[in-house]
Amino acid sequence: MAENVKPRVRVPRDATAGEEITIKTLISHPMESGQRKDGDGNVIPRSIINRFTCTFNGETVIDVTLEPAISTNPYFEFQAVVPETGTFEFTWYDDDGDVYTDSKEITVG
Amino acid sequence: MKLTRRHTLMMAVGSAVAALMPVRTFAAVEDEIAAFTGGAEIGSDGITLIAPEIAENGNTVPIEVDAPGAEAIIVFAAGNPTPSVATFTFGALAASQSAATRIRLAGTQDVIAIARMPDGSFVQASQEVKVTIGGCGG
């Protein structure tokens, strides 16, 4: 498994109903492309995060399929609508079967 | 070296293969685009792709795609060993059909973004990015 994988997510703490907010996510991951070779000329096997999803109270906001051409420490920025108080769930799927998650609560005042 | 008929033939084959190489990488992108669009015609209005004109480091090139109303946006890097970069699928709670990320580019090439609209049509935007240092190791 990839080591020291740490998701970081930035979501505003509160919003008004129906407000559009910007979400920024970053996860530390080497995203080994499978194109590089080590010192002995052997190909380093591919090991990337291949899917990222964001949902709010179970409804999809964005679903991204990642290929090896995404940089190390995949970063995403996107906009979401906040209809009510709830929780954003973020999920990253690793090639090796690992799943990394993070969640952020947001209050509609 | 004595030039026999066999040598001449081999050289001819070699140069033919060399000449075909760039065509083949180009065809790979065409194939992948066709796989996404199903061969449908591609328009050009209603999608924006923001990428730098010059990227010093091909390992992290910031890009941004925006296609109001799109169902999904797919991004290709035409000159990479594997052209597809990412597919963004937008759900009901996406406030705008836009996203920003950072990608790897092997060298100077065109970055292509294609959006699928809910009515089944496709729109495309592309931009050339000049890369000083490639991002595929070696």
Side-chain angles (χ1 to χ4, degrees), chain A residues 31 63 65 69 71 75 79 81, chain B residues 59 87 89 91 93 96 100-101 104:
Chain A
M31 294 293 278
D63 186 336
T65 309
S71 299
Y75 165 82
Q79 275 84 40
V81 181
Chain B
N59 267 315
T87 313
T89 312
L93 287 178
S96 68
T101 186
R104 289 180 177 136

Side-chain angles (χ1 to χ4, degrees), chain A residues 32-82:
Chain A
E32 193 55 64
S33 68
Q35 300 282 343
R36 299 199 308 154
K37 289 177 180 165
D38 63 14
D40 304 326
N42 304 316
V43 172
I44 305 170
R46 173 183 138 151
S47 167
I48 67 165
I49 288 172
N50 54 47
R51 185 168 172 229
F52 163 69
T53 63
C54 170
T55 60
F56 179 73
N57 290 353
E59 274 226 61
T60 308
V61 176
I62 196 168
D63 186 336
V64 187
T65 309
L66 288 76
E67 306 284 347
I70 297 290
S71 299
T72 304
N73 304 338
Y75 165 82
F76 291 107
E77 185 183 328
F78 51 92
Q79 275 84 40
V81 181
V82 189

Side-chain angles (χ1 to χ4, degrees), chain A residues 5 7-8 10-11 18 24 26 35 39 41 43 49-51 54 58 65 67 75 89 100-102 105:
Chain A
V5 175
R8 293 185 188 88
R10 202 162 195 186
V11 177
K24 295 177 182 184
L26 183 83
Q35 300 282 343
V43 172
I49 288 172
N50 54 47
R51 185 168 172 229
C54 170
T65 309
E67 306 284 347
Y75 165 82
E89 296 278 355
Y100 316 110
T101 57
D102 198 358
E105 284 175 17

Side-chain angles (χ1 to χ4, degrees), chain B residues 39-137:
Chain B
E41 209 158 288
I42 303 172
S44 60
D45 286 339
I47 181 165
T48 330
L49 168 68
I50 302 168
E53 251 171 60
I54 296 173
E56 222 159 79
N57 183 355
N59 267 315
T60 52
V61 182
I63 63 151
E64 209 179 316
V65 286
D66 183 13
E71 266 182 356
I73 303 177
I74 191 162
V75 180
F76 293 107
N80 274 5
T82 48
S84 51
V85 173
T87 313
F88 301 94
T89 312
F90 299 100
L93 287 178
S96 68
Q97 282 66 37
S98 68
T101 186
R102 296 173 188 149
I103 68 171
R104 289 180 177 136
L105 296 175
T108 299
Q109 57 180 285
D110 285 331
V111 176
I112 304 165
I114 301 176
R116 186 177 65 226
M117 295 302 180
D119 62 1
S121 64
F122 294 90
V123 288
Q124 172 181 351
S126 73
Q127 198 195 319
E128 190 188 26
V129 180
K130 289 191 168 65
V131 176
T132 323
I133 306 164
C136 277

